[in-house]
């Protein structure tokens, strides 16, 4: 979503965590073809069991995939860009593609070994590492007055 918004609204700094590029294919990789087929055929929504909780995914969400082109959106971004993904997730390949496609000058990728789509959500040290990278990116790429107005995240 952040990539799509950045194509419409200018932003100085963009951080992407476990980003998708081809929404349909990426969701098939993540949720499985059987689940995605159920979502595409449902009238309202399907309850999907994720490793960390259950969520309802609606048919309209599935139908929106064809209207979204994250790759062309990121090509329009002209601020700084940081892409982070776990090496054990489909999004690691997306990070590499996004960095190649991005036209901005300040761009960086970080593939975290032994991390999954949600950066090993039960591993506090992994989450602290990701939070620290995000904070450092914003502190380095946003004007001081912008960071001074925002509450600091203590890690």
């Amino acid at each position: 979503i952040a990539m799509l918004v950045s194509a419409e609204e200018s932003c100085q700094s963009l951080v992407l965590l476990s980003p998708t590029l081809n929404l349909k294919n990426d969701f098939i990789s993540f949720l499985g073809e059987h689940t995605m087929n159920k979502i595409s055929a449902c009238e309202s929504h399907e309850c999907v069991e994720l490793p960390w909780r259950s969520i309802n995914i609606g048919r309209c969400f599935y139908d929106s995939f064809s209207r979204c082109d994250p790759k062309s959106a990121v090509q329009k971004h002209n601020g700084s860009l940081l892409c982070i993904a776990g090496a054990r997730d489909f999004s690691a390949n997306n990070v590499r593609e996004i960095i190649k496609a991005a036209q901005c000058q300040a761009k960086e990728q970080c593939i975290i070994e032994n991390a999954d789509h949600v950066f090993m959500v039960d591993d506090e040290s992994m989450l602290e590492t990701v939070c620290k990278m995000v904070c450092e990116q914003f502190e380095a790429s946003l004007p001081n007055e912008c960071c001074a107005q925002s509450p600091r995240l203590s890690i």
Side-chain angles (χ1 to χ4, degrees):
I1 292 174
M3 279 187 282
L4 299 172
V5 171
S6 74
E8 303 298 322
E9 298 288 330
S10 177
C11 64
Q12 294 175 334
S13 188
L14 181 61
V15 175
L16 304 173
L17 303 174
S18 303
T20 64
L21 272 179
N22 180 314
L23 295 169
K24 185 177 178 183
N25 290 345
D26 287 349
F27 272 90
I28 287 171
S29 287
F30 187 62
L31 298 176
E33 192 165 359
H34 176 72
T35 299
M36 291 304 291
N37 286 339
K38 285 173 48 178
I39 294 168
S40 72
C42 74
E43 289 187 32
S44 173
H45 67 273
E46 279 292 319
C47 181
V48 177
E49 296 292 329
L50 300 175
W52 58 95
R53 71 177 204 169
S54 299
I55 61 170
N56 289 323
I57 299 180
R59 168 73 185 266
C60 59
F61 177 70
Y62 179 88
D63 291 343
S64 72
F65 292 170
S66 63
R67 298 188 302 271
C68 300
D69 185 3
K71 192 170 186 175
S72 70
V74 80
Q75 290 171 330
K76 296 176 184 174
H77 176 67
N78 60 3
S80 67
L81 173 64
L82 171 62
C83 294
I84 306 171
R88 294 180 14 210
D89 186 50
F90 68 87
S91 64
N93 288 328
N94 292 345
V95 163
R96 294 176 191 99
E97 282 192 54
I98 289 167
I99 292 298
K100 284 181 195 173
Q103 302 297 308
C104 57
Q105 297 299 309
K107 56 187 178 180
E108 183 180 351
Q109 71 180 30
C110 180
I111 309 295
I112 301 174
E113 291 301 318
N114 300 317
D116 60 8
H117 187 73
V118 294
F119 305 103
M120 310 308 287
V121 74
D122 294 331
D123 182 345
E124 286 185 29
S125 65
M126 178 85 64
L127 293 176
E128 285 179 9
T129 298
V130 173
C131 287
K132 184 176 180 184
M133 285 189 289
V134 170
C135 290
E136 287 173 352
Q137 171 69 12
F138 287 141
E139 287 174 351
S141 59
L142 294 174
N144 287 336
E145 63 273 8
C146 181
C147 292
Q149 294 173 9
S150 301
R152 293 280 186 217
L153 180 63
S154 176
I155 298 176

